[in-house]
Amino acid sequence: MLTKIKGLWDTIVVKAGSQLAKFVMTLTSRVVHSDPDILGGTPVFVGTRVPMRTLLDYLEAGDSLEVFLDHFPSVSREQTIAALELAKEMLTAYANPA
């Protein structure tokens, strides 16, 4: 799934002139970021050392958002919802036609 999101992100960056791309890039900078000095550049929630992928792994395993938030109190509910909204926007906006 992360490979698909990475591919979609690359598509958004290429189309950086579009309004959606600008919106996603602005929102992403407030929710998730990548810094080579933090976990070798792994995308993490802003202000934490919690990888975005961890949220997806929890949800994929069937854990609730509450369980994730209990285990990672440095991540806010607002950050998790925003990250999931970003993923939804990217997946729906750039879905391949059947």
Side-chain angles (χ1 to χ4, degrees), residues 1 5 8 52 56 81-93:
M1 180 172 191
I5 292 173
L8 291 172
M52 168 59 190
L56 299 176
I81 298 299
L84 293 170
E85 286 292 331
L86 278 169
K88 179 176 81 173
E89 288 298 321
M90 286 190 287
L91 290 169
T92 56

Side-chain angles (χ1 to χ4, degrees), residues 3-82:
T3 303
K4 287 183 181 180
I5 292 173
K6 168 85 170 90
L8 291 172
W9 178 251
D10 291 343
T11 301
I12 288 171
V13 170
V14 168
K15 297 181 179 186
S18 75
Q19 290 295 78
L20 178 60
K22 288 178 184 178
F23 167 75
V24 168
M25 291 167 77
T26 300
L27 188 54
T28 299
S29 68
R30 296 183 207 152
V31 178
V32 177
H33 72 126
S34 178
D35 180 335
D37 294 329
I38 300 173
L39 298 177
T42 298
V44 297
F45 287 98
V46 171
T48 77
R49 296 178 65 82
V50 179
M52 168 59 190
R53 180 180 186 119
T54 304
L55 171 61
L56 299 176
D57 290 343
Y58 266 65
L59 297 175
E60 184 178 24
D63 292 316
S64 70
L65 186 57
E66 295 304 321
V67 170
F68 174 81
L69 292 170
D70 286 345
H71 290 176
F72 300 97
S74 63
V75 180
S76 72
R77 172 177 292 283
E78 292 76 20
Q79 284 177 301
T80 58
I81 298 299

